[in-house]
Amino acid sequence: EPEVTQTPSHQVTQMGQEVILRCVPISNHLYFYWYRQILGQKVEFLVSFYNNEISEKSEIFDDQFSVERPDGSNFTLKIRSTKLEDSAMYFCASSVAPGGDQPQHFGDGTRLSIL
Amino acid sequence: RKEVEQDPGPFNVPEGATVAFNCTYSNSASQSFFWYRQDCRKEPKLLMSVYSSGNEDGRFTAQLNRASQYISLLIRDSKLSDSATYLCVSRTGGGNKLTFGTGTQLKVEL
């Protein structure tokens, strides 16, 4: 079964440093997402991306965050200047199409630890 | 009020039991609903979509009541491998973002 893959599985970074989280969505999927889950809390939406543009973003996704699809397979999340509160599990997801009953399929996540 | 609300549990049930989880949502514009399961420190995995007419997938049955803004998940003949956190998820019409509940923890015991 095709799956979303994420690298690295664990990233440890000093506060204030930039970090890039990488994702390879399922190959025929056109819609891409990032979510995060702070330990012990619920999964929260960050951003959705289609046709090389952000289609929706949450309040969490401020100017410190950016997303990019640098080539035909990768989808990245960049945090410019990390804060302690950015420590969380970051999940990438993809779907064939938006909306309706189209499910989003999640990667196994990157655990980001900010020191 | 939380947009998607669930009883956090834990629900501790013996193997073979039937267990039901409930979920309520506050945004009447929510159009699509899903149940995901999440094992400890793992990614959410789609369990099933929820349709207005109700739907079944093996031992799992999901129901949606739009008038009451209520979703349920019934698990019959519980297995040890069903132990996980069950996430109630909504998607609001016109948008792509999924809104997650905090999850209900299920522990199936021998």
Side-chain angles (χ1 to χ4, degrees):
Chain A
E1 186 179 322
E3 56 183 30
V4 176
T5 56
Q6 291 185 242
T7 54
S9 55
H10 191 189
Q11 174 80 46
V12 181
T13 301
Q14 291 287 334
M15 187 171 61
Q17 295 296 304
E18 175 183 285
V19 66
I20 297 176
L21 310 183
R22 301 179 194 281
C23 168
V24 178
I26 295 172
S27 60
N28 65 331
H29 287 190
L30 300 176
Y31 294 80
F32 316 118
Y33 314 87
W34 283 101
Y35 291 80
R36 79 170 187 192
Q37 186 175 30
I38 294 170
L39 188 63
Q41 297 187 22
K42 65 179 183 177
V43 177
E44 300 175 289
F45 171 81
L46 293 178
V47 66
S48 61
F49 190 86
Y50 168 69
N51 201 25
N52 283 319
E53 287 185 348
I54 290 174
S55 47
E56 193 173 356
K57 61 182 181 178
S58 71
E59 291 175 355
I60 303 168
F61 194 89
D62 61 22
D63 292 345
Q64 293 300 309
F65 290 86
S66 62
V67 289
E68 194 179 29
R69 187 151 163 86
D71 54 44
S73 59
N74 289 286
F75 178 50
T76 62
L77 174 70
K78 183 194 289 187
I79 309 175
R80 261 180 275 283
S81 178
T82 49
K83 307 183 191 70
L84 292 175
E85 54 265 37
D86 293 328
S87 295
M89 196 77 166
Y90 286 80
F91 294 110
C92 174
S94 68
S95 63
V96 172
D101 295 327
Q102 289 296 326
Q104 295 177 19
H105 298 271
F106 285 72
D108 57 4
T110 292
R111 180 170 304 283
L112 179 61
S113 300
I114 307 300
L115 305 179
Chain B
R1 185 181 169 188
K2 291 179 188 174
E3 205 164 329
V4 178
E5 199 145 1
Q6 300 180 248
D7 179 345
F11 284 59
N12 298 311
V13 303
E15 206 175 8
T18 295
V19 62
F21 304 138
N22 303 322
C23 167
T24 56
Y25 61 96
S26 60
N27 189 342
S28 57
S30 297
Q31 289 194 344
S32 304
F33 304 91
F34 309 90
W35 283 101
Y36 280 75
R37 73 170 270 169
Q38 186 175 31
D39 294 286
C40 188
R41 296 180 176 245
K42 300 284 189 182
E43 77 275 22
K45 288 187 178 175
L46 179 68
L47 183 64
M48 59 197 302
S49 302
V50 186
Y51 303 118
S52 296
S53 53
N55 50 301
E56 190 173 304
D57 183 359
R59 298 181 293 109
F60 300 86
T61 301
Q63 297 276 355
L64 166 63
N65 183 322
R66 289 191 187 272
S68 303
Q69 297 186 189
Y70 170 94
I71 303 153
S72 66
L73 176 69
L74 183 78
I75 305 175
R76 288 181 298 279
D77 188 23
S78 302
K79 312 286 185 199
L80 293 175
S81 56
D82 293 334
S83 297
T85 297
Y86 289 82
L87 308 175
C88 179
V89 182
S90 72
R91 188 194 63 81
T92 304
N96 296 326
K97 78 169 194 179
L98 298 181
T99 300
F100 285 77
T102 51
T104 298
Q105 190 180 12
L106 171 66
K107 295 180 183 178
V108 182
E109 301 163 333
L110 286 171

